Amino acid sequence: MAVAAFKGLFNSKFDGNKMTERKSSGRRRVFVQTETGSVLGIELDRSDNAHTVKRKLQIALNVPIEERSLIFGDVVLKNDLSTVRNDSPLLLTKNFMHRSSSTPCLSPTGKDVQQRDQSGPIEILVCSDHFSRIRKLVREIVEAMKFGIDPIPVCGGLGGAYYFRDCQGENCAIVKPTDEEPYAPNNPKGFIGKALGQPGLKRSVRVGETGFREVAAYLLDYDHFANVPSTALVKVTHSIFNVNGEVNGTKQQERKEFSKIASLQQFIPHDFDASDYGTSSFPVAAVHKIGILDIRILNTDRHAGNLLVRKIDGGGGLDQVELVPIDHGLCLPENLEDPYFEWIHWPQASIPFSEDELEYISHLDPFRDSELLRMELPMIREACLRVLVVCTIFLKEAAISGLCLAEIGEMMSREFRGQQEEPSELEFICIEARRLLDERNMLSDNVRAVENEFQFEIDCEEESDITCNLEKKLAPQACWPLGGNTRNPLSKVEENVEECTEEDGNIIPLRSDEYVFTAQEKAPTVPRLSMSMKNVSIGDKSWKHENVMQKNGYLSGTSSGNRSVNEQFAGSTRFVKLADMSEEEWVQYLENFQHLVYLAFSNRKSASVGQRQRQRLGTSCQF
């Protein structure tokens, strides 16, 4: 795709956002969550700014507001609140936070919050036509609560979760409060110690932000393709929720009600999960559809425990089943992570895509997907959307080249050899695309420097041969002929690890270890890349990752093996970072990336055809 096409998509995308922002500058209702989990619904007037909102929080929730910022996704709000849309969740957080595991919860102790927040017991955030099923569920749950049918806590898992029931007492929804996630302040199972917005189980997924990822997976599952249950972000008020350090009585009737932001997902009755059933008999189409979704959203936690199995034959046998994927809170990381696809070893994943599946993939549009998520989940970070774009482009090119699900999953997964972790083939291409971008920027800077010096020499009226002078200054720059002897750009890439000091409390922007890749030798620019990649197969990685850092006593980037991410707490090595590019750089990066992907798959296809021809030739020569 040409740069102009990328720019056109991006320009229309941002123009649409600006139009939405202008329309939303009037009276709106927002939901503000403190760093300890308390939530308040606030009506915004045109005259409101960040200071007045914080003042309202101070009065209603009795929380300190000094040295605290009001955050909306990636943006720190100041005077102007025009970017905030109706029903948007905001976060009030300290500018500098320590990581003490004994931080108390600042529960409301002043005036009753519910007297000031007139919202109902369950209120859907960022409403649209996509959540009609959730609206019906909410009505059923609220009606049941009026009859005294309260939710019940879920015992399993590391985070707080609750089954909400209907009037018949049947489970109809599962609610996961954002402040009860693993490491969050009000986690009921002892996994605490971080504030909302800090790195969580995955360094690229922050505490308190798994809920909107659950919603994103549902929104991206067009036409219920992969069977993701209906999911929405909600504000829920109930006394069952956990608040660490609360001083309420132990009896249920003495407990106070607390409002929380949470994900609410339709409960799907099922017979068991995939870990209790022979995976080889799962329908091929069901595995393919779930795999396609997992690749698009870079799911880092797809294991058998979060694939529900329902019998659909009606006879009690196990011949016909339906798969339901759940638990998508660790998808769409802010950087490329090592995914975990348990289906990668299932026989269904090695079967080629059907025509219907290829047709579905061909109609995927990552830019349309990104715009949808911006509109429905305005708190989502741009870095997550860039991961979505990269993975979707990779999926589409792989499908065009005839790769099966298992091959694509393997190309996205890292290898762990000995005590070293190597980037995946997808990351390898991303690294090269970034190197080409940096090289292009460096060349542009050098040309500008030469032009400036050349202009200075003209102004000084130096008597010299202008043409020779310019050629002399441009000589050291990278100029390679098409047929020149150049180093293969996809051969050895050396990594320099830069340890960035992380301020414990400063979470905006997220500061973490950055891995910068440099090449010792110059390489051709994108137009000449095809010459140097003629003999390169994407299946062969010719370099090793060295100097892998260790963090918190774990080897950074340990392969997930057969374990769920819930059994791992080690941070993952970060080979590729997408958030630090400007919009212009991102457009150029995408052009480089798509060009490299196309060449890599072309080389892979050519190598495969050549291998088959050699096999046939060898067979025919046998006597």
Side-chain angles (χ1 to χ4, degrees):
M1 182 179 295
V3 177
F6 279 116
K7 287 184 177 178
L9 286 166
F10 273 75
N11 290 338
S12 61
K13 171 186 66 181
F14 291 117
D15 290 344
N17 260 358
K18 292 177 181 177
M19 290 177 62
T20 304
E21 291 167 7
R22 287 195 293 269
K23 291 179 181 178
S24 64
S25 59
R27 188 173 180 83
R28 293 144 290 157
R29 179 176 178 78
V30 298
F31 299 90
V32 186
Q33 183 177 30
T34 69
E35 61 198 3
T36 55
S38 300
V39 178
L40 182 69
I42 297 178
E43 293 286 345
L44 292 184
D45 294 323
R46 290 181 181 274
S47 59
D48 275 323
N49 56 36
H51 177 74
T52 60
V53 171
K54 289 190 286 186
R55 180 60 179 160
K56 291 177 182 178
L57 285 171
Q58 185 181 40
I59 295 173
L61 300 181
N62 192 30
V63 296
I65 61 174
E66 295 79 11
E67 297 185 356
R68 281 163 171 78
S69 297
L70 199 62
I71 303 170
F72 178 49
D74 285 324
V75 180
V76 178
L77 299 173
K78 297 182 180 179
N79 291 329
D80 184 16
L81 300 183
S82 62
T83 58
V84 179
R85 299 204 293 270
N86 190 48
D87 291 325
S88 294
L90 310 180
L91 176 64
L92 178 72
T93 182
K94 293 179 183 178
N95 295 336
F96 297 95
M97 296 177 292
H98 58 79
R99 300 188 179 187
S100 170
S101 60
S102 60
T103 302
C105 175
L106 301 176
S107 303
T109 57
K111 299 180 180 180
D112 187 7
V113 175
Q114 296 308 310
Q115 293 178 358
R116 298 178 174 273
D117 187 351
Q118 301 300 322
S119 60
I122 303 179
E123 191 162 349
I124 302 176
L125 279 60
V126 197
C127 299
S128 77
D129 295 336
H130 294 91
F131 304 107
S132 57
R133 174 57 184 161
I134 292 295
R135 291 194 188 93
K136 182 180 178 181
L137 276 178
V138 167
R139 289 194 294 269
E140 293 175 359
I141 294 169
V142 172
E143 189 68 21
M145 291 168 63
K146 292 179 180 177
F147 286 98
I149 302 177
D150 292 324
I152 55 177
V154 178
C155 297
L158 299 182
Y162 304 87
Y163 289 126
F164 278 65
R165 300 180 287 175
D166 57 21
C167 291
Q168 288 72 44
E170 300 291 334
N171 296 338
C172 65
I174 182 169
V175 171
K176 301 177 183 178
T178 58
D179 68 322
E180 296 188 27
E181 296 177 7
Y183 296 151
N186 291 321
N187 180 276
K189 298 171 182 176
F191 299 103
I192 57 175
K194 293 187 177 182
L196 300 177
Q198 291 183 308
L201 281 175
K202 288 282 185 178
R203 290 181 59 82
S204 291
V205 178
R206 307 190 195 199
V207 175
E209 296 188 1
T210 64
F212 72 73
R213 286 175 165 85
E214 297 260 18
V215 182
Y218 164 67
L219 290 172
L220 293 174
D221 187 26
Y222 297 118
D223 302 324
H224 214 51
F225 184 72
N227 214 19
V228 177
S230 300
T231 314
L233 206 62
V234 298
K235 178 199 167 200
V236 189
T237 302
H238 203 278
S239 60
I240 194 172
F241 294 132
N242 182 70
V243 177
N244 290 326
E246 65 172 309
V247 293
N248 289 333
T250 56
K251 296 182 179 180
Q252 181 68 24
Q253 61 268 26
E254 297 178 1
R255 292 177 58 88
K256 290 184 180 180
E257 291 185 336
F258 291 97
S259 296
K260 298 196 175 188
I261 292 177
S263 64
L264 185 149
Q265 185 171 84
Q266 177 187 3
F267 176 79
I268 305 297
H270 55 282
D271 298 285
F272 32 72
D273 62 50
S275 62
D276 301 320
Y277 187 73
T279 59
S280 61
S281 59
F282 289 156
V284 173
V287 174
H288 282 192
K289 292 175 180 180
I290 292 171
I292 289 170
L293 175 68
D294 287 342
I295 287 172
R296 291 169 61 202
I297 62 179
L298 194 65
N299 194 347
T300 64
D301 189 30
R302 173 62 72 214
H303 57 88
N306 53 38
L307 281 176
L308 306 181
V309 182
R310 300 176 63 188
K311 302 176 186 176
I312 58 176
D313 62 351
L318 300 178
D319 296 332
Q320 297 293 325
V321 297
E322 178 184 41
L323 299 183
V324 180
I326 59 172
D327 293 344
H328 297 100
L330 293 176
C331 70
L332 293 176
E334 294 182 36
N335 297 285
L336 285 186
E337 293 273 359
D338 186 24
Y340 183 67
F341 303 141
E342 184 157 326
W343 43 255
I344 203 171
H345 304 297
W346 297 355
Q348 299 91 332
S350 296
I351 297 176
F353 290 122
S354 67
E355 291 298 324
D356 290 342
E357 291 160 357
L358 291 173
E359 182 73 11
Y360 183 88
I361 294 173
S362 69
H363 284 93
L364 294 175
D365 183 346
F367 302 100
R368 179 193 62 183
D369 296 344
S370 299
E371 183 61 21
L372 170 68
L373 296 185
R374 286 190 190 93
M375 296 299 297
E376 298 292 348
L377 301 170
M379 75 295 296
I380 196 168
R381 301 177 187 276
E382 283 297 314
C384 305
L385 300 180
R386 291 182 175 184
V387 168
L388 172 66
V389 170
V390 165
C391 292
T392 305
I393 291 175
F394 189 77
L395 168 65
K396 290 171 71 70
E397 292 290 343
I400 292 173
S401 299
L403 273 68
C404 66
L405 188 62
E407 291 173 316
I408 301 172
E410 288 173 355
M411 292 170 68
M412 298 177 69
S413 302
R414 297 176 182 172
E415 294 182 8
F416 189 75
R417 299 177 180 176
Q419 293 186 344
Q420 293 180 335
E421 185 179 35
E422 294 186 355
S424 67
E425 295 171 28
L426 169 61
E427 289 175 306
F428 190 58
I429 295 175
C430 290
I431 292 166
E432 179 64 12
R434 183 59 180 266
R435 188 187 64 78
L436 292 171
L437 174 65
D438 294 341
E439 192 173 78
R440 177 178 178 270
N441 291 339
M442 184 180 300
L443 182 59
S444 298
D445 292 341
N446 289 337
V447 169
R448 281 194 296 269
V450 170
E451 291 175 347
N452 292 337
E453 185 175 349
F454 180 58
Q455 183 64 41
F456 176 77
E457 292 172 355
I458 293 178
D459 294 340
C460 294
E461 297 181 352
E462 291 184 356
E463 296 181 359
S464 61
D465 187 340
I466 296 177
T467 304
C468 294
N469 189 31
L470 183 58
E471 290 177 351
K472 183 184 299 183
K473 293 184 181 300
L474 288 176
Q477 306 306 320
C479 299
W480 297 271
L482 286 175
N485 294 324
T486 59
R487 186 184 62 86
N488 187 340
L490 292 185
S491 58
K492 297 180 180 179
V493 179
E494 184 174 322
E495 178 193 42
N496 294 329
V497 180
E498 292 184 359
E499 286 291 338
C500 297
T501 59
E502 179 178 349
E503 298 178 10
D504 287 347
N506 193 356
I507 63 170
I508 306 172
L510 176 64
R511 300 181 62 188
S512 56
D513 303 335
E514 298 180 6
Y515 295 84
V516 181
F517 298 87
T518 60
Q520 296 299 320
E521 300 174 2
K522 297 183 183 295
T525 53
V526 174
R528 298 179 172 83
L529 190 60
S530 57
M531 298 298 297
S532 59
M533 290 186 63
K534 282 185 176 180
N535 299 319
V536 177
S537 171
I538 195 171
D540 299 324
K541 289 180 290 184
S542 57
W543 66 287
K544 286 189 175 183
H545 169 60
E546 300 177 355
N547 303 323
V548 178
M549 303 299 295
Q550 291 192 2
K551 303 181 180 68
N552 301 326
Y554 293 87
L555 180 63
S556 174
T558 302
S559 177
S560 53
N562 293 321
R563 296 177 298 161
S564 147
V565 73
N566 288 341
E567 300 172 32
Q568 305 172 69
F569 293 87
S572 180
T573 304
R574 189 166 300 162
F575 293 107
V576 176
K577 186 176 181 181
L578 302 175
D580 59 343
M581 287 180 277
S582 66
E583 306 299 341
E584 183 178 356
E585 289 174 331
W586 171 237
V587 170
Q588 182 62 46
Y589 175 88
L590 282 181
E591 184 183 3
N592 294 347
F593 173 76
Q594 190 159 18
H595 185 70
L596 288 168
V597 169
Y598 172 78
L599 291 174
F601 283 126
S602 297
N603 292 334
R604 184 186 182 102
K605 185 183 297 184
S606 299
S608 178
V609 171
Q611 183 177 7
R612 288 197 299 268
Q613 290 175 342
R614 287 191 296 272
Q615 290 175 345
R616 288 197 299 269
L617 181 61
T619 303
S620 62
C621 292
Q622 292 179 356
F623 293 94

